Amino acid sequence: MSLAPSKRAGERVEADQIQRISGFEAAPKHGDDGRELPYDIICQRSVWPSRTLPFVGVLVLEQGAVVECKSASVVVNARQRRGRYKIKKGQHSKLVELAGFYLFSVTAPNSDTIPASKIVPATEVTDLDFSWIDTNGGVEYGQITWTQIFDPEEVDSR
């Protein structure tokens, strides 16, 4: 079965970030109990903020910290609608329980170029302006516009 284009793009961004950020390592897809893990990345050593990777509300990601990678395109269609991050409610709740983080990235349209990334604690994401969407038996999710995480100048200036 083929992956959706947005899922493929997200996996490319995740792989790029793991290669680019010293201390990040891909997490296994499943835990010892066989369940899917709610994060993509584990910090193998401390990771510090930088000019290209600012942090919100935290000074360092310590060894063992878990990180879920999310990406959104600057714009997603001909009407220039801003991209959105899809946050799954159950996954988000588990990430909050684990005191985990999100690595949000913005990608250039039709490209794997990443003009901006930022680390945000999962607990801070809970306070953003979005609501959970009930899918009538499917996975509940919320959508967050990238401008809730980044000032447009942060993205445009890179």
Side-chain angles (χ1 to χ4, degrees), residues 10-30:
E11 288 183 355
R12 285 192 308 269
V13 168
E14 176 186 327
D16 181 68
Q17 295 287 33
I18 289 168
Q19 290 295 315
R20 190 175 64 79
I21 300 169
S22 179
F24 279 2
E25 184 174 290
K29 294 294 179 195
H30 297 89

PDB file of all heavy atoms in Angstrom, residues 10-30:
ATOM      1  N   GLY A  10       6.415  13.931   5.347  1.00  0.00           N
ATOM      2  CA  GLY A  10       6.705  13.953   6.779  1.00  0.00           C
ATOM      3  C   GLY A  10       7.829  13.001   7.147  1.00  0.00           C
ATOM      4  O   GLY A  10       8.698  13.329   7.962  1.00  0.00           O
ATOM      5  N   GLU A  11       7.843  11.831   6.548  1.00  0.00           N
ATOM      6  CA  GLU A  11       8.912  10.872   6.826  1.00  0.00           C
ATOM      7  C   GLU A  11      10.260  11.370   6.313  1.00  0.00           C
ATOM      8  O   GLU A  11      11.291  11.140   6.950  1.00  0.00           O
ATOM      9  CB  GLU A  11       8.564   9.502   6.234  1.00  0.00           C
ATOM     10  CG  GLU A  11       7.457   8.815   7.014  1.00  0.00           C
ATOM     11  CD  GLU A  11       7.123   7.432   6.501  1.00  0.00           C
ATOM     12  OE1 GLU A  11       7.683   6.998   5.456  1.00  0.00           O
ATOM     13  OE2 GLU A  11       6.304   6.763   7.156  1.00  0.00           O
ATOM     14  N   ARG A  12      10.256  12.056   5.169  1.00  0.00           N
ATOM     15  CA  ARG A  12      11.516  12.633   4.654  1.00  0.00           C
ATOM     16  C   ARG A  12      12.039  13.720   5.589  1.00  0.00           C
ATOM     17  O   ARG A  12      13.236  13.784   5.870  1.00  0.00           O
ATOM     18  CB  ARG A  12      11.310  13.191   3.243  1.00  0.00           C
ATOM     19  CG  ARG A  12      11.212  12.126   2.175  1.00  0.00           C
ATOM     20  CD  ARG A  12      11.298  12.698   0.773  1.00  0.00           C
ATOM     21  NE  ARG A  12      10.371  13.773   0.510  1.00  0.00           N
ATOM     22  CZ  ARG A  12       9.150  13.619   0.008  1.00  0.00           C
ATOM     23  NH1 ARG A  12       8.692  12.413  -0.267  1.00  0.00           N
ATOM     24  NH2 ARG A  12       8.374  14.660  -0.216  1.00  0.00           N
ATOM     25  N   VAL A  13      11.143  14.565   6.093  1.00  0.00           N
ATOM     26  CA  VAL A  13      11.549  15.624   7.024  1.00  0.00           C
ATOM     27  C   VAL A  13      12.098  15.000   8.301  1.00  0.00           C
ATOM     28  O   VAL A  13      13.154  15.413   8.804  1.00  0.00           O
ATOM     29  CB  VAL A  13      10.374  16.583   7.335  1.00  0.00           C
ATOM     30  CG1 VAL A  13      10.707  17.496   8.504  1.00  0.00           C
ATOM     31  CG2 VAL A  13      10.013  17.397   6.098  1.00  0.00           C
ATOM     32  N   GLU A  14      11.424  14.000   8.821  1.00  0.00           N
ATOM     33  CA  GLU A  14      11.883  13.316  10.033  1.00  0.00           C
ATOM     34  C   GLU A  14      13.291  12.748   9.835  1.00  0.00           C
ATOM     35  O   GLU A  14      14.176  12.947  10.669  1.00  0.00           O
ATOM     36  CB  GLU A  14      10.905  12.200  10.386  1.00  0.00           C
ATOM     37  CG  GLU A  14      11.315  11.357  11.565  1.00  0.00           C
ATOM     38  CD  GLU A  14      10.386  10.180  11.761  1.00  0.00           C
ATOM     39  OE1 GLU A  14       9.179  10.295  11.477  1.00  0.00           O
ATOM     40  OE2 GLU A  14      10.890   9.127  12.200  1.00  0.00           O
ATOM     41  N   ALA A  15      13.510  12.042   8.735  1.00  0.00           N
ATOM     42  CA  ALA A  15      14.826  11.457   8.466  1.00  0.00           C
ATOM     43  C   ALA A  15      15.894  12.546   8.338  1.00  0.00           C
ATOM     44  O   ALA A  15      17.011  12.398   8.862  1.00  0.00           O
ATOM     45  CB  ALA A  15      14.773  10.611   7.189  1.00  0.00           C
ATOM     46  N   ASP A  16      15.545  13.649   7.687  1.00  0.00           N
ATOM     47  CA  ASP A  16      16.487  14.760   7.539  1.00  0.00           C
ATOM     48  C   ASP A  16      16.849  15.364   8.894  1.00  0.00           C
ATOM     49  O   ASP A  16      18.021  15.632   9.171  1.00  0.00           O
ATOM     50  CB  ASP A  16      15.891  15.837   6.624  1.00  0.00           C
ATOM     51  CG  ASP A  16      16.843  16.993   6.419  1.00  0.00           C
ATOM     52  OD1 ASP A  16      17.881  16.792   5.765  1.00  0.00           O
ATOM     53  OD2 ASP A  16      16.554  18.098   6.947  1.00  0.00           O
ATOM     54  N   GLN A  17      15.860  15.552   9.751  1.00  0.00           N
ATOM     55  CA  GLN A  17      16.107  16.147  11.072  1.00  0.00           C
ATOM     56  C   GLN A  17      16.978  15.224  11.931  1.00  0.00           C
ATOM     57  O   GLN A  17      17.857  15.681  12.660  1.00  0.00           O
ATOM     58  CB  GLN A  17      14.789  16.445  11.789  1.00  0.00           C
ATOM     59  CG  GLN A  17      13.934  17.495  11.111  1.00  0.00           C
ATOM     60  CD  GLN A  17      14.480  18.893  11.255  1.00  0.00           C
ATOM     61  OE1 GLN A  17      15.675  19.142  11.298  1.00  0.00           O
ATOM     62  NE2 GLN A  17      13.572  19.854  11.343  1.00  0.00           N
ATOM     63  N   ILE A  18      16.746  13.918  11.843  1.00  0.00           N
ATOM     64  CA  ILE A  18      17.559  12.973  12.605  1.00  0.00           C
ATOM     65  C   ILE A  18      19.013  13.032  12.149  1.00  0.00           C
ATOM     66  O   ILE A  18      19.932  12.990  12.964  1.00  0.00           O
ATOM     67  CB  ILE A  18      16.979  11.540  12.489  1.00  0.00           C
ATOM     68  CG1 ILE A  18      15.658  11.464  13.278  1.00  0.00           C
ATOM     69  CG2 ILE A  18      17.974  10.490  12.991  1.00  0.00           C
ATOM     70  CD1 ILE A  18      14.849  10.202  13.021  1.00  0.00           C
ATOM     71  N   GLN A  19      19.234  13.172  10.859  1.00  0.00           N
ATOM     72  CA  GLN A  19      20.600  13.290  10.325  1.00  0.00           C
ATOM     73  C   GLN A  19      21.239  14.623  10.699  1.00  0.00           C
ATOM     74  O   GLN A  19      22.431  14.699  10.984  1.00  0.00           O
ATOM     75  CB  GLN A  19      20.588  13.150   8.796  1.00  0.00           C
ATOM     76  CG  GLN A  19      20.262  11.765   8.322  1.00  0.00           C
ATOM     77  CD  GLN A  19      21.326  10.763   8.727  1.00  0.00           C
ATOM     78  OE1 GLN A  19      22.512  11.016   8.596  1.00  0.00           O
ATOM     79  NE2 GLN A  19      20.894   9.632   9.240  1.00  0.00           N
ATOM     80  N   ARG A  20      20.445  15.676  10.688  1.00  0.00           N
ATOM     81  CA  ARG A  20      20.957  17.042  10.882  1.00  0.00           C
ATOM     82  C   ARG A  20      21.238  17.381  12.338  1.00  0.00           C
ATOM     83  O   ARG A  20      22.174  18.127  12.639  1.00  0.00           O
ATOM     84  CB  ARG A  20      19.927  18.023  10.305  1.00  0.00           C
ATOM     85  CG  ARG A  20      20.385  19.455  10.205  1.00  0.00           C
ATOM     86  CD  ARG A  20      19.350  20.322   9.500  1.00  0.00           C
ATOM     87  NE  ARG A  20      18.098  20.441  10.196  1.00  0.00           N
ATOM     88  CZ  ARG A  20      17.874  21.249  11.231  1.00  0.00           C
ATOM     89  NH1 ARG A  20      18.826  21.993  11.701  1.00  0.00           N
ATOM     90  NH2 ARG A  20      16.686  21.294  11.800  1.00  0.00           N
ATOM     91  N   ILE A  21      20.445  16.863  13.262  1.00  0.00           N
ATOM     92  CA  ILE A  21      20.549  17.280  14.660  1.00  0.00           C
ATOM     93  C   ILE A  21      21.340  16.252  15.452  1.00  0.00           C
ATOM     94  O   ILE A  21      20.874  15.125  15.674  1.00  0.00           O
ATOM     95  CB  ILE A  21      19.155  17.519  15.270  1.00  0.00           C
ATOM     96  CG1 ILE A  21      18.438  18.619  14.473  1.00  0.00           C
ATOM     97  CG2 ILE A  21      19.265  17.894  16.746  1.00  0.00           C
ATOM     98  CD1 ILE A  21      16.974  18.778  14.790  1.00  0.00           C
ATOM     99  N   SER A  22      22.512  16.647  15.874  1.00  0.00           N
ATOM    100  CA  SER A  22      23.380  15.770  16.649  1.00  0.00           C
ATOM    101  C   SER A  22      22.708  15.437  17.983  1.00  0.00           C
ATOM    102  O   SER A  22      22.284  16.326  18.712  1.00  0.00           O
ATOM    103  CB  SER A  22      24.719  16.458  16.884  1.00  0.00           C
ATOM    104  OG  SER A  22      25.556  15.636  17.643  1.00  0.00           O
ATOM    105  N   GLY A  23      22.601  14.160  18.278  1.00  0.00           N
ATOM    106  CA  GLY A  23      21.950  13.715  19.510  1.00  0.00           C
ATOM    107  C   GLY A  23      20.614  13.053  19.259  1.00  0.00           C
ATOM    108  O   GLY A  23      20.093  12.355  20.129  1.00  0.00           O
ATOM    109  N   PHE A  24      20.014  13.261  18.078  1.00  0.00           N
ATOM    110  CA  PHE A  24      18.745  12.632  17.739  1.00  0.00           C
ATOM    111  C   PHE A  24      18.985  11.258  17.126  1.00  0.00           C
ATOM    112  O   PHE A  24      19.907  11.074  16.339  1.00  0.00           O
ATOM    113  CB  PHE A  24      17.950  13.478  16.741  1.00  0.00           C
ATOM    114  CG  PHE A  24      17.178  14.613  17.338  1.00  0.00           C
ATOM    115  CD1 PHE A  24      17.210  14.894  18.689  1.00  0.00           C
ATOM    116  CD2 PHE A  24      16.398  15.414  16.527  1.00  0.00           C
ATOM    117  CE1 PHE A  24      16.482  15.952  19.223  1.00  0.00           C
ATOM    118  CE2 PHE A  24      15.663  16.474  17.052  1.00  0.00           C
ATOM    119  CZ  PHE A  24      15.705  16.736  18.400  1.00  0.00           C
ATOM    120  N   GLU A  25      18.120  10.316  17.493  1.00  0.00           N
ATOM    121  CA  GLU A  25      18.160   8.980  16.902  1.00  0.00           C
ATOM    122  C   GLU A  25      16.728   8.532  16.660  1.00  0.00           C
ATOM    123  O   GLU A  25      15.832   8.834  17.467  1.00  0.00           O
ATOM    124  CB  GLU A  25      18.858   8.017  17.853  1.00  0.00           C
ATOM    125  CG  GLU A  25      19.027   6.624  17.279  1.00  0.00           C
ATOM    126  CD  GLU A  25      19.861   5.745  18.190  1.00  0.00           C
ATOM    127  OE1 GLU A  25      21.074   5.989  18.303  1.00  0.00           O
ATOM    128  OE2 GLU A  25      19.269   4.817  18.788  1.00  0.00           O
ATOM    129  N   ALA A  26      16.511   7.822  15.573  1.00  0.00           N
ATOM    130  CA  ALA A  26      15.168   7.314  15.280  1.00  0.00           C
ATOM    131  C   ALA A  26      14.718   6.359  16.377  1.00  0.00           C
ATOM    132  O   ALA A  26      15.479   5.500  16.815  1.00  0.00           O
ATOM    133  CB  ALA A  26      15.158   6.613  13.933  1.00  0.00           C
ATOM    134  N   ALA A  27      13.504   6.534  16.825  1.00  0.00           N
ATOM    135  CA  ALA A  27      12.920   5.637  17.827  1.00  0.00           C
ATOM    136  C   ALA A  27      12.424   4.385  17.120  1.00  0.00           C
ATOM    137  O   ALA A  27      12.049   4.431  15.942  1.00  0.00           O
ATOM    138  CB  ALA A  27      11.762   6.329  18.535  1.00  0.00           C
ATOM    139  N   PRO A  28      12.378   3.266  17.830  1.00  0.00           N
ATOM    140  CA  PRO A  28      11.742   2.092  17.221  1.00  0.00           C
ATOM    141  C   PRO A  28      10.265   2.402  16.989  1.00  0.00           C
ATOM    142  O   PRO A  28       9.691   3.262  17.657  1.00  0.00           O
ATOM    143  CB  PRO A  28      11.922   0.996  18.274  1.00  0.00           C
ATOM    144  CG  PRO A  28      12.260   1.690  19.538  1.00  0.00           C
ATOM    145  CD  PRO A  28      12.830   3.028  19.192  1.00  0.00           C
ATOM    146  N   LYS A  29       9.659   1.741  16.024  1.00  0.00           N
ATOM    147  CA  LYS A  29       8.241   1.990  15.718  1.00  0.00           C
ATOM    148  C   LYS A  29       7.312   1.450  16.804  1.00  0.00           C
ATOM    149  O   LYS A  29       6.232   1.979  17.018  1.00  0.00           O
ATOM    150  CB  LYS A  29       7.859   1.381  14.367  1.00  0.00           C
ATOM    151  CG  LYS A  29       8.548   2.042  13.201  1.00  0.00           C
ATOM    152  CD  LYS A  29       8.096   3.470  13.046  1.00  0.00           C
ATOM    153  CE  LYS A  29       8.795   4.140  11.884  1.00  0.00           C
ATOM    154  NZ  LYS A  29       8.683   5.577  11.891  1.00  0.00           N
ATOM    155  N   HIS A  30       7.750   0.391  17.497  1.00  0.00           N
ATOM    156  CA  HIS A  30       6.901  -0.237  18.503  1.00  0.00           C
ATOM    157  C   HIS A  30       7.685  -0.465  19.787  1.00  0.00           C
ATOM    158  O   HIS A  30       8.892  -0.702  19.754  1.00  0.00           O
ATOM    159  CB  HIS A  30       6.353  -1.573  17.988  1.00  0.00           C
ATOM    160  CG  HIS A  30       5.481  -1.411  16.790  1.00  0.00           C
ATOM    161  ND1 HIS A  30       5.979  -1.419  15.504  1.00  0.00           N
ATOM    162  CD2 HIS A  30       4.152  -1.217  16.675  1.00  0.00           C
ATOM    163  CE1 HIS A  30       4.992  -1.237  14.653  1.00  0.00           C
ATOM    164  NE2 HIS A  30       3.866  -1.105  15.335  1.00  0.00           N
TER     165      HIS A  30
END
